[in-house]
Amino acid sequence: MNIHYFALLFLVSVTCSATTDVEEDEGVLILNENNFEEVVAETKLLLVEFYAPWCGHCKNLAPHYAKAAQQLRREEGAVGAARLAKVDCTRHKKLAERHSIRSYPTLKLHTADRWVDYEGEHTAEAIAAWVRRRAGPPAVTITTAEQAETFLAQSEAAVVGFFAGGAGAGSFLEWAEREESLPCALATTAEVADKLDAADGSVAIFKKYDELRHDLSGPIDSVDELAAWVDRLAPPLLLRFGDNTADDVFDSTGDGTLLLFTPADGEVFVEATAVTRAVARDHRGEMLFTWVDVNEKSFSRVLEFFGVKLSDAPTVRIVRPSDMTKYRSEKGGPPTRESLQELVTAYLGGELKPYLLSEDLPADWDAKPVRYLVGSNFDTVALDKSKTVLVDFYAPWCGHCRKLEPELDKLGEKYKDSKTVLIAKMDATQNELTHTRPRSFPTIKMWKKGTNEVVEYNGERTVGGMTKFIETGGEYGKAPPEEDDYDDDEDFEYSEDYTDDDEYAGHDEL
């Protein structure tokens, strides 16, 4: 859950001589292969960001990360008690390999001789709150009405267990120990229970959005039951899409995510979000509901990915996060409660057909040595067993794709008169296939003559290298199955535009 902002002061005693000699950047320790192990060994709580300088998400995180580092230092007052650090993985690749870093940024906390991944929001408040929770008790004890007011005022959402004298709070505290996002409090006096109008033995979620409050009357039968209750009711009914919530949308473990594309203000926004929130309430716990500001320039690739134009707004799409399959309503016009309810019901019932992007087939698609494929003609051309077909899946904004283009043209010229080899390309941001989903750009795949066996190419992107790939039947430069190339390919990235001059050395996450 990504709703967390409570400032709980903690006391952690540690002597950390190593950190006094380590270079800092706005309160963040700069680690390298020479000082990493020493700092880790001598710091009680150490949160490390593994990043790359070119990474758009890393750049967005930087000010928040520095603010969290400074905030924790001010609160603690003891140097080295809880520190934030960072590692430039493009300069210290061995550290990245040792910690199995597969995407940027990756945040890991070292405590009690083990590493714990941070998977919360990329905000200073969320990061600092998460570190505090790791340092302090699972739930802060509040005994006065004033403490209760202060606790609730500092959080967008929080959970309070009401147990007089602490009796019977075992399951609540066990759950709080597991909860990594929401601030938790244990109310042990009648004063607090009366102030918050709660019964002894109950648990309440307090929110500054939607229904504002939910109550669970005791007894708590199991920790899992409490966790399921909180997970279902604590999140906003309609989450705003942004850099800090993209992971919630695309990495959701639920059955699906509905995205409402709308301008962020005006009557259209009010009406569209109202009907979406109403449907979200009916399907709480079944799907995630979010809205995307279509006028936010940094989301242009999100709109592109879902095939949404500004003129379409307000409109909705559904995505299945497990495989990024997309769906949409065949009905036009702004969403209504009835149309959304019908769409969601059909999706959950398995009655919707996937929505695949496809450009119109150009009249001159086969006029050049490198054929131009779209969604509608791909299978006819690429799966023709009489030929070996090599296809470049590219994105117009991808700098490496543009660098590849002249080499691909030379390759097309080389095989233009061949009866058994064909060279093609497809704009994968405008055309989609059920059987092939490029994870990065450019992706080069070959469908072999006679069998349609698919082989991905991971060799040098030159006419010579690709020729060897074709002539050896896909053996030369063959990519291992499911390999992630972290050297120079470009993933779908909605927050940054790449150019040919970009220094690119790896992946950004979706």
Side-chain angles (χ1 to χ4, degrees):
M1 215 169 297
N2 290 319
I3 315 159
H4 35 181
Y5 306 90
F6 177 61
L8 170 64
L9 294 180
F10 59 87
L11 294 176
V12 179
S13 60
V14 65
T15 301
C16 188
S17 59
T19 58
T20 61
D21 300 324
V22 176
E23 184 181 353
E24 295 187 19
D25 179 15
E26 296 186 281
V28 178
L29 299 173
I30 301 176
L31 303 186
N32 54 50
E33 292 170 9
N34 295 324
N35 63 19
F36 188 89
E37 295 301 334
E38 185 179 5
V39 173
V40 168
E42 296 188 1
T43 308
K44 183 74 173 183
L45 282 171
L46 182 69
L47 181 64
V48 182
E49 176 199 3
F50 294 87
Y51 76 101
W54 47 259
C55 163
H57 291 306
C58 301
K59 294 175 184 178
N60 292 337
L61 171 63
H64 298 281
Y65 197 66
K67 182 178 178 181
Q70 296 161 13
Q71 186 174 344
L72 289 170
R73 290 295 300 281
R74 285 196 303 269
E75 292 175 0
E76 177 55 27
V79 176
R83 299 302 306 267
L84 269 60
K86 61 183 179 180
V87 174
D88 181 348
C89 294
T90 65
R91 297 181 61 188
H92 306 290
K93 296 182 179 179
K94 290 183 180 180
L95 286 177
E97 292 173 2
R98 193 181 310 157
H99 291 274
S100 302
I101 305 304
R102 306 303 297 164
S103 59
Y104 305 122
T106 292
L107 276 63
K108 290 178 174 285
L109 179 76
H110 184 265
T111 177
D113 296 324
R114 68 189 183 100
W115 289 95
V116 179
D117 289 334
Y118 174 75
E119 298 178 347
E121 291 184 3
H122 287 179
T123 64
E125 293 82 2
I127 292 169
W130 189 78
V131 173
R132 293 187 196 102
R133 285 183 57 77
R134 289 289 175 177
V140 59
T141 299
I142 52 178
T143 59
T144 68
E146 183 179 359
Q147 289 175 342
E149 288 181 354
T150 301
F151 173 77
L152 295 178
Q154 294 176 340
S155 308
E156 284 295 302
V159 181
V160 180
F162 299 88
F163 298 92
S171 293
F172 173 75
L173 292 175
E174 185 179 345
W175 164 80
E177 182 73 37
R178 289 166 38 176
E179 172 59 37
E180 296 188 352
S181 302
L182 288 168
C184 308
L186 176 63
T188 59
T189 64
E191 178 183 343
V192 177
D194 291 342
K195 172 68 177 179
L196 299 179
D197 191 24
D200 185 44
S202 67
V203 177
I205 302 171
F206 294 89
K207 307 186 296 187
K208 294 179 180 177
Y209 48 83
D210 298 335
E211 303 94 338
L212 301 181
R213 175 171 177 165
H214 303 279
D215 289 273
L216 177 65
S217 300
I220 300 173
D221 294 330
S222 72
V223 175
D224 289 340
E225 177 188 324
L226 176 57
W229 179 76
V230 174
D231 289 347
R232 186 172 65 87
L233 297 175
L237 286 168
L238 186 59
L239 187 69
R240 179 169 186 165
F241 182 87
D243 190 51
N244 297 324
T245 58
D247 286 346
D248 292 337
V249 173
F250 293 116
D251 293 335
S252 171
T253 57
D255 290 335
T257 298
L258 183 144
L259 299 96
L260 166 67
F261 293 87
T262 177
D265 51 26
E267 185 175 340
V268 168
F269 172 77
V270 174
E271 292 180 359
T273 54
V275 298
T276 306
R277 190 173 284 109
V279 175
R281 183 175 287 107
D282 293 338
H283 295 278
R284 190 198 293 272
E286 295 180 282
M287 293 179 62
L288 179 68
F289 290 75
T290 184
W291 69 274
V292 183
D293 181 1
V294 295
N295 292 320
E296 175 57 54
K297 292 182 179 179
S298 63
F299 298 160
S300 60
R301 290 186 193 159
V302 177
L303 270 66
E304 179 183 88
F305 177 73
F306 284 98
V308 174
K309 299 181 177 64
L310 289 176
S311 58
D312 294 334
T315 188
V316 297
R317 298 289 187 270
I318 292 177
V319 62
R320 187 168 60 208
S322 60
D323 59 7
M324 299 306 291
T325 300
K326 293 171 286 188
Y327 303 83
R328 69 173 182 178
S329 173
E330 296 300 324
K331 297 181 179 180
T336 64
R337 182 165 184 173
E338 292 74 20
S339 67
L340 280 183
Q341 192 70 262
E342 181 180 333
L343 178 68
V344 172
T345 301
Y347 170 76
L348 292 174
E351 300 171 5
L352 278 187
K353 293 182 179 179
Y355 163 59
L356 299 174
L357 295 175
S358 179
E359 295 176 287
D360 292 333
L361 181 64
D364 61 349
W365 71 271
D366 60 349
K368 296 180 180 180
V370 178
R371 308 300 198 271
Y372 189 82
L373 305 184
V374 298
S376 60
N377 76 332
F378 186 94
D379 287 1
T380 302
V381 177
L383 304 187
D384 179 358
K385 289 186 178 182
S386 69
K387 295 182 176 67
T388 287
V389 182
L390 182 140
V391 183
D392 165 33
F393 296 90
Y394 73 96
W397 44 260
C398 163
H400 295 292
C401 299
R402 293 195 291 271
K403 290 178 181 178
L404 170 64
E405 188 171 6
E407 295 297 310
L408 192 72
D409 288 341
K410 293 176 187 176
L411 189 69
E413 192 68 30
K414 181 181 180 72
Y415 287 102
K416 67 177 182 180
D417 296 323
S418 174
K419 301 297 183 182
T420 58
V421 176
L422 184 137
I423 310 302
K425 64 181 180 180
M426 188 176 85
D427 181 351
T429 69
Q430 297 297 316
N431 301 277
E432 296 175 319
L433 308 167
T434 57
H435 52 73
T436 304
R437 298 171 184 268
R439 294 176 298 162
S440 58
F441 302 116
T443 289
I444 301 171
K445 291 180 178 287
M446 182 173 73
W447 278 258
K448 296 173 66 172
K449 176 185 174 182
T451 64
N452 274 344
E453 177 188 350
V454 184
V455 186
E456 183 168 343
Y457 180 60
N458 197 32
E460 62 272 24
R461 292 174 188 147
T462 63
V463 64
M466 291 184 287
T467 297
K468 289 181 182 179
F469 178 61
I470 293 171
E471 299 298 333
T472 61
E475 290 303 315
Y476 178 86
K478 179 180 180 180
E482 301 300 320
E483 175 176 309
D484 284 321
D485 180 0
Y486 285 89
D487 291 329
D488 62 356
D489 287 351
E490 296 185 16
D491 268 344
F492 174 80
E493 161 64 61
Y494 66 82
S495 63
E496 181 152 322
D497 288 323
Y498 293 107
T499 68
D500 283 329
D501 297 326
D502 288 329
E503 180 181 354
Y504 198 95
H507 282 289
D508 271 343
E509 284 191 304
L510 177 67

